[in-house]
Amino acid sequence: MKKLLLTGFEPFLSFPVNPTMQVVEKLEGTIIGDYMICGKILPVNFNASGEELLEHINKENPDAVLSLGLAGGRYKMTPERVALNVKDGEPDNEGHQPIDETIDPDGPPAYFSTLPIREMVNRLNATGLPAAISNSAGTYLCNNVMYAGLHWAAKHKPEMSSGFLHIPASFELAIQHGKIAGWSLDELVKGVTICIQTLSDEI
């Protein structure tokens, strides 16, 4: 049985609920395709999130990594194409706000996802779940974690698939926030499951 490391984030900024936590908790310990799912929650902390991801990778030795992030306001699931070697954006949960900083001064400017993102989008849309490829993970914590995983894999385990998926808000969060669209938690779990199954089928 192969292992997939599935990560989510804690609540942050104006989002009192983070559905990525709930999806990870739902899927932790389940089997999807050829993968046993190992779920972990990462802090919204520029200095710690990437390091914690790598600690989990080194401890669990997964065959694939799929990190989830909340894109509050989006109504589609969006696998990310590119991670940039940049930290910049709103303050994290510790109040730290980097401006134009590199994630790794010795790393390349960017990495492409090694997940089958086009097939993921095709299958999601075919199932009736709106999806599209996003060409940038931004420069906030989601990008930070995506870059860290791909950079580690490039140096230590090139055969390890790694990438990032942004998901919409849940109904619970949408109601609390008041200004963003939401999906049901069951739909979010179904969408992530489809993406993992796609990866399993592609390997």
Side-chain angles (χ1 to χ4, degrees):
M1 179 66 63
K2 295 180 179 179
K3 182 184 291 187
L4 182 139
L5 175 63
L6 181 69
T7 72
F9 281 108
E10 63 187 5
F12 66 105
L13 297 178
S14 62
F15 305 114
V17 175
N18 194 328
T20 65
M21 289 183 63
Q22 297 165 303
V23 172
V24 169
E25 289 165 357
K26 288 272 189 181
L27 294 178
E28 156 66 15
T30 64
I31 296 173
I32 302 174
D34 293 331
Y35 291 114
M36 171 68 76
I37 307 303
C38 174
K40 301 293 181 181
I41 305 303
L42 301 175
V44 177
N45 181 316
F46 277 107
N47 293 324
S49 58
E51 291 183 3
E52 285 201 18
L53 175 72
L54 300 187
E55 288 175 5
H56 294 313
I57 290 174
N58 282 305
K59 180 180 178 180
E60 302 294 340
N61 190 29
D63 300 282
V65 176
L66 175 60
S67 295
L68 307 178
L70 167 65
R74 288 188 194 174
Y75 63 93
K76 295 182 177 182
M77 285 200 162
T78 51
E80 298 295 342
R81 193 190 300 272
V82 179
L84 302 175
N85 191 2
V86 177
K87 292 190 286 186
D88 190 287
E90 297 293 321
D92 64 18
N93 282 357
E94 303 301 317
H96 178 54
Q97 186 175 19
I99 298 175
D100 301 334
E101 293 183 15
T102 55
I103 296 171
D104 188 327
D106 299 320
Y111 283 105
F112 284 102
S113 173
T114 53
L115 302 176
I117 58 174
R118 177 60 64 190
E119 184 59 25
M120 287 178 173
V121 165
N122 290 344
R123 291 197 189 186
L124 287 166
N125 283 321
T127 312
L129 298 177
I133 291 174
S134 169
N135 288 317
S136 172
T139 55
Y140 195 54
L141 271 295
C142 297
N143 175 77
N144 194 64
V145 164
M146 181 180 177
Y147 187 94
L150 287 164
H151 188 47
W152 184 93
K155 293 194 298 182
H156 302 289
K157 194 175 180 180
E159 70 276 15
M160 185 184 83
S161 299
S162 184
F164 201 94
L165 174 68
H166 269 116
I167 68 172
S170 60
F171 286 152
E172 179 186 5
L173 174 57
I175 291 168
Q176 291 190 38
H177 189 276
K179 295 182 179 179
I180 55 176
W183 288 21
S184 72
L185 182 58
D186 286 346
E187 287 175 323
L188 294 173
V189 171
K190 179 181 177 181
V192 174
T193 299
I194 289 170
C195 289
I196 296 172
Q197 182 66 59
T198 302
L199 175 59
S200 177
D201 292 344
E202 292 285 307
I203 298 301

